């Protein structure tokens, strides 16, 4: 379960890291509610594994993100996994301030749940059910490594914004500190290139996508000989494609790819819509 799940968590983090808010939404504390709904298709090489949906509700500076996914192989005959996840907190001019994070899964005869709470940038409580027997070789997570670390969904509110609708490679200049409840790691992004993307009926994407190279930098909470860590830490082939959202200064994920020992795991956006009053105007 962990082999599949660690890649799914990393993909979810990449999906969320760049889903930034328009500046007006981030600063306004009294604005109307807005919903952003994004759907993604997940594939392993040429095989479809399932899909994931994220719904972000914004009310002034408060945010709540809810996600649900269904992954299966051969209609669930070989593998069937259902997941839910949620995160809440505030967006400030300095970045996100998460307050809660939850993730649960069931499938393959296994189930579990993880919960974290935060206060002023620090993790104050962590609950994992069932508790896993820790490998004595694991590098322990220190308290100082958790200061400022984001849960995988709160990483969505890193303010990767640009007024350039034609593919600003500067949005790739980010290092995202993440703690998923077990692993503490950084995602180091750097610009690669930009490419034209055709507008599709199911999305609002057009113009250009910027391609960011992603380096997975493990810090603690893992065993040095973990094969999943080795695959992700030593590859240069992890990419996230970001596209500008028309009428805003937002850049959102369009496509992701992550090499695994089973093949190329990829995620592609299938739909995107904004509901309510997003006040979607580029920042001055």
């Amino acid at each position: 379960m962990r082999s599949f799940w660690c890649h799914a968590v990393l993909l979810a983090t990449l999906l969320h890291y760049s889903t930034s808010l328009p500046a007006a939404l981030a600063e306004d504390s009294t604005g109307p509610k807005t919903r952003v709904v994004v759907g993604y298709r997940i594939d392993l090489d040429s095989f479809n594994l399932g899909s994931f949906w994220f719904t972000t509700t914004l009310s002034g500076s408060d945010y709540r993100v809810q996600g649900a996914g269904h992954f299966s192989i051969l209609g669930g005959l070989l593998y069937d996994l259902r997941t839910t996840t949620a995160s809440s907190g505030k967006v400030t001019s300095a970045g996100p301030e998460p307050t809660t994070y939850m993730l649960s899964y069931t499938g393959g005869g296994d189930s579990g749940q993880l919960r974290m709470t935060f206060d002023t940038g620090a993790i104050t409580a962590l609950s994992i059910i069932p508790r896993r027997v820790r490998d004595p070789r694991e590098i322990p997570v220190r308290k100082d490594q958790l200061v400022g670390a984001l849960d995988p969904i709160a990483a969505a509110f890193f303010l990767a914004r640009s007024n350039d609708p034609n593919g600003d490679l500067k949005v790739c200049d980010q290092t995202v500190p993440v703690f998923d409840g077990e692993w503490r790691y950084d995602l180091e992004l750097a610009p690669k290139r930009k490419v034209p993307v055709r507008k599709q009926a199911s999305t609002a994407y057009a113009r250009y996508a910027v391609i960011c190279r992603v380096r997975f930098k493990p810090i603690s909470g893992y065993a040095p000989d973990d094969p999943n860590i080795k695959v992700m830490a030593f590859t240069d082939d992890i990419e996230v494609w970001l596209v500008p959202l028309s009428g805003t200064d937002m850049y959102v994920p369009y496509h992701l790819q992550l090499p695994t020992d089973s093949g190329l795991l990829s995620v592609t956006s299938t739909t995107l819509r904004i509901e309510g009053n997003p006040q979607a105007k580029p920042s001055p």
Side-chain angles (χ1 to χ4, degrees):
M1 173 68 72
R2 179 65 187 179
S3 177
F4 176 85
W5 188 248
C6 69
H7 293 105
V9 166
L10 178 57
L11 284 169
T13 306
L14 291 173
L15 281 172
H16 284 101
Y17 126 82
S18 54
T19 311
S20 310
L21 300 180
L25 286 175
E27 298 298 334
D28 184 15
S29 61
T30 60
K33 286 187 177 180
T34 300
R35 293 206 326 158
V36 181
V37 181
V38 189
Y40 292 93
R41 171 191 172 101
I42 301 178
D43 297 283
L44 182 64
D45 288 335
S46 59
F47 295 96
N48 176 242
L49 296 182
S51 59
F52 215 103
W53 287 83
F54 297 108
T55 300
T56 301
T57 302
L58 309 169
S59 180
S61 60
D62 295 331
Y63 71 83
R64 179 170 178 78
V65 183
Q66 294 176 292
H70 182 205
F71 311 94
S72 66
I73 299 177
L74 293 180
L77 294 177
L78 296 182
Y79 193 87
D80 190 79
L81 173 68
R82 295 180 182 272
T83 68
T84 59
T85 185
S87 176
S88 62
K90 290 182 177 294
V91 181
T92 72
S93 58
E97 290 185 358
T99 55
T100 62
Y101 172 73
M102 181 277 292
L103 179 148
S104 65
Y105 66 88
T106 179
D110 195 9
S111 64
Q113 186 177 85
L114 181 148
R115 290 181 178 273
M116 287 192 289
T117 58
F118 300 76
D119 186 21
T120 60
I123 296 173
T124 56
L126 171 64
S127 171
I128 302 176
I129 301 173
R131 296 202 63 85
R132 182 172 65 88
V133 177
R134 309 297 299 193
D135 188 327
R137 298 169 298 171
E138 288 182 5
I139 300 172
V141 180
R142 303 194 314 263
K143 275 190 173 183
D144 63 290
Q145 294 172 340
L146 298 179
V147 176
L150 303 174
D151 66 70
I153 291 184
F157 298 95
F158 244 79
L159 302 180
R161 300 198 305 265
S162 172
N163 289 324
D164 184 353
N166 296 311
D168 188 350
L169 285 168
K170 291 181 180 179
V171 300
C172 295
D173 290 327
Q174 297 281 348
T175 295
V176 186
V178 184
F179 179 61
D180 67 9
E182 293 189 6
W183 290 351
R184 169 66 178 90
Y185 55 91
D186 284 347
L187 296 176
E188 299 178 345
L189 285 84
K192 289 185 70 172
R193 64 187 184 278
K194 68 178 182 178
V195 295
V197 174
R198 293 182 179 179
K199 186 174 183 178
Q200 301 178 15
S202 61
T203 70
Y205 300 140
R207 299 182 181 177
Y208 291 91
V210 295
I211 303 177
C212 309
R213 184 194 69 198
V214 183
R215 294 300 303 269
F216 174 81
K217 182 180 178 182
I219 295 176
S220 57
Y222 67 95
D225 60 350
D226 187 322
N228 300 303
I229 288 288
K230 289 183 177 180
V231 169
M232 293 189 292
F234 292 101
T235 183
D236 287 322
D237 296 326
I238 305 175
E239 290 183 353
V240 56
W241 295 32
L242 307 178
V243 292
L245 183 60
S246 179
T248 77
D249 56 4
M250 296 168 64
Y251 272 68
V252 297
Y254 172 75
H255 177 75
L256 311 167
Q257 65 179 44
L258 171 66
T260 75
D261 51 8
S262 301
L264 183 66
L265 193 61
S266 64
V267 178
T268 304
S269 174
T270 57
T271 188
L272 167 67
R273 66 179 185 270
I274 301 177
E275 304 169 350
N277 180 11
Q279 302 178 26
K281 297 180 181 179
S283 297

